[in-house]
Amino acid sequence: MAEVPEIGKKRRRRVEEADSATPEDPKVEPSVNNDKTTVGQIICDTDGKGDANASEETEFKKIKLEQESEEKKTVNVLDTSSIAVPEDGENPPEEANRAVPQDSKTESIVTVEDDTSKLGKEHCDTTEKGDVGDPENTRSEKRKKVPDSEHIPADKTHTEAVAAHYNKLEEVGLEQRSLSRIFYLRNFNNWIKSVLIGDFLDRVRQRKQNISVLDLGCGKGGDLLKWRKGRISKLVCTDIADISVQQCKQRYMDMRNRGRSNDRIFSAEFITADSTKELLSKKYNDRNMCFDICSCQFVYHYSFETYEQADMMLKNACERLCRGGYFIGTTPDSYELVKRCEASQTDSFGNEVYTVKFQNKGEYPLFGCKYDFNLEGVVNVPEFLVYFPLLVEMAKKYGMKLVYKKTFWEFYEEKVKNEDHKLLLKQMQALEQYPADEHSKLVSDKKDDYVHAEMLKNDEKLKLPFGTLSKSEWEATSIYMIFAFEKQQ
């Protein structure tokens, strides 16, 4: 792992987040139940597509896995930082969140400007316009060996193991984070989240002023600044990891204390709970609370251990959404994961930045399809495959319709055309400068990691330096996708 001692000395600036996006209307039919149908039967066809034929015990009929577009080879230019992408661009997750503990705890903090007694009812009507946008610091996890999931006692449940893993991750300073091998990758993933959140906040603001949000799997509060800049009225943060929730609460308090007296800061409550096994609506301070947005970033895949857990997580995400509200999130792309696993000579694949290892290659059940995921310095915990067409079908139970779905790469290609998003990409240092200047060093020592950048460098029309990620980082980031569901009733 290459370190970047001089880059660490540079000051990182906070940046404003953007908005803007265009939904789609993918169509999927069938109903679901827990059965023995496997993702492998559906995905592993010669053409990359497949149908899930219902077994005798299931009503799950013909759900087609949409063929994801191959990684684009186009290169976009960003002012002084255009982008170089390797032929096989791909991607890893930002900080993953969790989904569930044993003893649920609820804490509430109300700001002076909010009338929480009326907030729950008010959130389900009103219409007015506003704007959105905001910066955010990349989450603080120390660059050190991540707690190994294999060292967790065998008698722990998977959700307890997830909670233990994230509780062990320590907060570190910004300068320390800048030394990470995946500093730019994490910033890139954070940019993806920033644009996604900004987009859907903007959509909601077109019809109402007071916005309430459920941050499902809030972690240490990495998105708090996004919600503040989006000028929401109410935030409920929940996570399985109690220590993470406490750190999230402290970040919120610090944010309030740093603000000016006339700053409008949302009210918030914090809940430690297992969202795959516990009903969150029973824990809200306002039992009539409803939300305009539920944000679930790098978390939902932890729930796909069983149908019951996936359904409970979905119920928590969607049950209290107002009509027209959105369930948005990021999750690993099951098609991409299985495709890469099947193409591998072993039961695993990856590079120096990330690795994925399936426990039973060739067997991909719809639920409980476990794989070990490791992202350098951030994540090292088992996850479960989320067969997305199945999620689409399950969401119908809660009146949800899929309105937007793209891979990280597709989303990036679409949004980078917007000048504000381009500027945000630069401000968040989501791409590494290439070639490196005399005072800095590339994050990877491997020449092969920048072959794509070298090819672009020879383009006489291109102004140097430009922005890129190492090939290893592009590969890691491209295993993820974005989704958005809208509440229809």
Side-chain angles (χ1 to χ4, degrees):
M1 278 179 281
E3 293 201 346
V4 199
E6 314 221 336
I7 291 180
K9 298 177 182 176
K10 297 181 181 178
R11 284 292 144 207
R12 312 294 180 193
R13 295 179 299 167
R14 288 186 179 173
V15 307
E16 291 213 328
E17 307 180 57
D19 44 2
S20 172
T22 311
E24 298 176 1
D25 266 73
K27 296 171 186 162
V28 191
E29 276 251 302
S31 45
V32 208
N33 232 321
N34 201 356
D35 71 4
K36 309 249 185 213
T37 305
T38 66
V39 177
Q41 289 174 289
I42 303 167
I43 295 180
C44 299
D45 296 339
T46 52
D47 62 352
K49 297 183 189 178
D51 294 333
N53 296 316
S55 66
E56 300 94 10
E57 308 167 54
T58 181
E59 298 173 333
F60 183 41
K61 338 165 217 173
K62 282 189 170 183
I63 298 185
K64 281 194 176 181
L65 178 61
E66 299 176 359
Q67 178 81 323
E68 303 303 331
S69 28
E70 289 293 321
E71 289 79 18
K72 298 346 182 238
K73 297 177 184 176
T74 355
V75 175
N76 296 297
V77 177
L78 273 188
D79 317 317
T80 60
S81 53
S82 55
I83 301 130
V85 185
E87 300 248 324
D88 295 307
E90 288 142 29
N91 152 276
E94 183 188 88
E95 298 74 285
N97 299 309
R98 1 310 157 203
V100 304
Q102 303 282 79
D103 304 315
S104 304
K105 301 175 185 177
T106 307
E107 298 185 45
S108 169
I109 300 174
V110 182
T111 58
V112 264
E113 295 191 44
D114 294 295
D115 180 359
T116 52
S117 62
K118 298 179 181 177
L119 207 46
K121 297 178 183 177
E122 186 176 295
H123 283 175
C124 290
D125 44 85
T126 336
T127 62
E128 285 190 44
K129 245 182 189 176
D131 56 36
V132 56
D134 170 326
E136 114 94 17
N137 287 342
T138 310
R139 246 193 225 151
S140 337
E141 268 85 32
K142 193 179 259 185
R143 186 174 185 231
K144 63 174 188 176
K145 184 175 174 72
V146 182
D148 193 337
S149 59
E150 293 180 5
H151 295 162
I152 296 170
D155 58 343
K156 277 186 178 288
T157 65
H158 180 262
T159 50
E160 288 175 326
V162 172
H165 168 77
Y166 286 102
N167 277 331
K168 285 181 182 178
L169 291 177
E170 299 177 17
E171 285 280 348
V172 296
L174 189 58
E175 185 171 342
Q176 180 67 28
R177 289 202 303 274
S178 70
L179 300 178
S180 170
R181 167 65 179 86
I182 57 170
F183 174 76
Y184 295 104
L185 169 63
R186 293 176 70 187
N187 287 351
F188 180 83
N189 288 340
N190 198 36
W191 175 83
I192 293 278
K193 281 202 311 174
S194 297
V195 176
L196 175 66
I197 287 173
D199 171 22
F200 282 89
L201 280 175
D202 192 50
R203 294 189 195 198
V204 174
R205 279 209 181 280
Q206 291 176 18
R207 57 185 172 79
K208 64 188 299 185
Q209 180 63 37
N210 293 315
I211 298 176
S212 57
V213 172
L214 172 62
D215 194 336
L216 190 59
C218 63
K220 303 178 191 302
D223 292 336
L224 286 173
L225 286 173
K226 296 178 178 67
W227 304 128
R228 178 181 179 180
K229 206 67 177 182
R231 298 187 296 120
I232 68 170
S233 299
K234 171 74 177 181
L235 178 67
V236 174
C237 292
T238 181
D239 200 282
I240 182 177
D242 180 58
I243 293 175
S244 292
V245 173
Q246 293 305 313
Q247 290 175 331
C248 180
K249 177 184 174 182
Q250 188 57 53
R251 277 189 176 186
Y252 171 76
M253 294 297 294
D254 292 343
M255 185 173 70
R256 284 184 61 197
N257 295 334
R258 284 196 306 266
R260 295 186 293 270
S261 57
N262 61 341
D263 278 353
R264 181 176 183 269
I265 299 179
F266 54 84
S267 63
E269 63 182 277
F270 304 86
I271 302 171
T272 299
D274 182 341
S275 298
T276 72
K277 296 177 182 176
E278 302 176 64
L279 190 60
L280 292 178
S281 58
K282 293 182 178 180
K283 304 177 186 300
Y284 301 145
N285 288 339
D286 177 0
R287 293 300 176 87
N288 296 315
M289 186 70 198
C290 64
F291 302 96
D292 300 294
I293 289 177
C294 171
S295 176
C296 187
Q297 307 298 333
F298 302 101
V299 179
Y300 193 77
H301 47 281
Y302 292 119
S303 75
F304 250 63
E305 183 173 7
T306 66
Y307 169 78
E308 290 74 21
Q309 286 176 274
D311 182 64
M312 177 59 79
M313 188 78 154
L314 199 54
K315 184 174 185 177
N316 283 324
C318 306
E319 183 184 44
R320 287 303 185 89
L321 282 177
C322 302
R323 185 173 182 177
Y326 296 102
F327 171 37
I328 63 174
T330 47
T331 193
D333 181 349
S334 61
Y335 171 76
E336 194 62 39
L337 292 177
V338 172
K339 185 181 78 170
R340 294 189 195 186
C341 184
E342 288 298 313
S344 171
Q345 298 300 310
T346 66
D347 57 0
S348 64
F349 60 89
N351 55 44
E352 64 169 11
V353 166
Y354 85 107
T355 57
V356 173
K357 180 178 181 179
F358 277 87
Q359 296 195 353
N360 295 294
K361 179 177 178 177
E363 297 179 19
Y364 310 106
L366 295 178
F367 298 97
C369 184
K370 187 184 287 190
Y371 60 89
D372 296 310
F373 177 75
N374 179 278
L375 177 64
E376 198 271 354
V378 180
V379 184
N380 187 4
V381 69
E383 301 178 353
F384 295 99
L385 199 68
V386 177
Y387 179 51
F388 197 76
L390 179 58
L391 174 60
V392 172
E393 181 58 30
M394 291 173 67
K396 291 179 182 178
K397 177 180 176 181
Y398 300 102
M400 304 301 293
K401 178 183 178 183
L402 181 66
V403 294
Y404 193 88
K405 172 180 172 286
K406 287 189 182 293
T407 64
F408 270 27
W409 174 243
E410 291 169 338
F411 185 78
Y412 161 74
E413 270 207 323
E414 175 187 307
K415 300 305 176 185
V416 78
K417 295 172 185 174
N418 178 291
E419 289 302 319
D420 289 337
H421 298 160
K422 240 196 247 187
L423 178 60
L424 180 60
L425 188 73
K426 204 172 167 185
Q427 290 175 321
M428 292 183 78
Q429 297 186 39
L431 295 174
E432 182 179 20
Q433 178 179 302
Y434 191 89
D437 62 37
E438 57 183 9
H439 301 298
S440 62
K441 180 181 177 182
L442 295 172
V443 294
S444 175
D445 289 330
K446 297 180 178 179
K447 289 185 178 180
D448 288 351
D449 253 339
Y450 296 97
V451 170
H452 58 291
E454 274 299 311
M455 292 175 65
L456 186 61
K457 181 181 168 185
N458 296 326
D459 186 344
E460 295 179 357
K461 297 178 182 178
L462 184 64
K463 183 178 179 181
L464 300 178
F466 53 84
T468 189
L469 293 178
S470 66
K471 183 181 177 183
S472 297
E473 290 170 296
W474 280 123
E475 288 177 357
T477 197
S478 63
I479 66 173
Y480 283 84
M481 58 174 284
I482 282 164
F483 64 82
F485 291 85
E486 183 178 8
K487 184 87 167 197
Q488 302 295 299
Q489 54 189 19

